Amino acid sequence: MSLESAIDAIKNGKMILLFDAEDREGETDLVIPAICTTPADVALMRRDGGGLICVAVHAKAADRLGLPFMSDI
C-alpha cells in the first residue's frame, strides 16, 4: 500500500497495518481513527494484535478522568 492509499484509508475510517522499522520494534501496528472504532474493531485488535490498545487522549480529558501517564504506573 502506498502512503497516499494509507492516508486515504485512515481519512475514510478504515484500519491499516503500519510496520515499525526493523531497527526499532520491528512490529506491525493496527491503526484506525478512534472516532471510527467499533466493538468489532477492538475485538479484532485483541484477537489478532494481542498487545496493548492505545488511544490518544487530550490532557484535559485525562485529568477529568483521573488517568495517569502510562510511565507513572
Side-chain angles (χ1 to χ4, degrees):
M1 173 181 275
S2 70
L3 179 59
E4 293 79 17
S5 297
I7 292 170
D8 285 341
I10 291 173
K11 284 181 179 178
N12 289 304
K14 304 249 192 302
M15 188 180 298
I16 65 163
L17 299 175
L18 181 64
F19 179 72
D20 196 11
E22 285 286 348
D23 60 349
R24 270 201 68 196
E25 296 171 326
E27 297 176 341
T28 301
D29 296 322
L30 301 159
V31 178
I32 187 171
I35 192 118
C36 301
T37 305
T38 67
D41 294 323
V42 174
L44 181 139
M45 289 186 273
R46 285 299 305 139
R47 183 184 64 243
D48 296 341
L52 295 174
I53 297 176
C54 301
V55 64
V57 177
H58 192 281
K60 288 181 181 179
D63 284 342
R64 284 196 312 267
L65 294 169
L67 300 175
F69 285 105
M70 187 171 179
S71 60
D72 293 338
I73 297 175

